[in-house]
Amino acid sequence: MEKFKCDRCGLCCRHIKGNPFSKGFDAGDGVCKFLNRKTNLCTIYDNRPDFCNVEKGYKKYFAELYSEEDYLRLNYEFCAKLKEEFL
């Protein structure tokens, strides 16, 4: 699988409210409790859950539903929508 090119804007980690995969990660304001809000970097990056890793998340949760190409496209589209709305 092609590696997802993340620019580390932190928007996906700042808008986790309602995401069933992130249950227990919300700091109470819709932001992941493991996000360093100053650097936009994950404080548990090396040990982050599979759903936070696009490649591992695909293999574990979405390979039966989407092709790799479609899954990457959907992730990039979601990323673009977050940027459009919040930047």
Side-chain angles (χ1 to χ4, degrees):
M1 176 175 207
E2 178 185 327
K3 187 155 176 63
F4 182 76
K5 294 171 183 75
C6 175
D7 65 7
R8 299 179 180 170
C9 70
L11 288 173
C12 58
C13 301
R14 291 180 182 275
H15 298 89
I16 65 169
K17 192 173 199 156
N19 180 339
F21 288 103
S22 60
K23 187 176 179 178
F25 287 80
D26 192 330
D29 57 359
V31 177
C32 180
K33 65 184 177 183
F34 296 109
L35 178 70
N36 179 318
R37 294 173 190 234
K38 291 180 183 174
T39 65
N40 282 328
L41 299 177
C42 179
T43 60
I44 61 165
Y45 185 82
D46 290 335
N47 297 305
R48 70 194 187 277
D50 289 343
F51 69 84
C52 294
N53 180 311
V54 173
E55 293 81 18
K56 287 183 180 179
Y58 170 73
K59 290 175 185 170
K60 189 169 186 177
Y61 303 108
F62 299 103
E64 299 286 321
L65 301 172
Y66 304 104
S67 69
E68 289 180 9
E69 182 180 300
D70 286 342
Y71 183 71
L72 277 176
R73 180 183 48 77
L74 289 169
N75 275 271
Y76 284 121
E77 287 175 5
F78 180 72
C79 183
K81 285 181 183 179
L82 283 174
K83 288 177 181 176
E84 194 174 287
E85 188 171 341
F86 296 105
L87 288 183

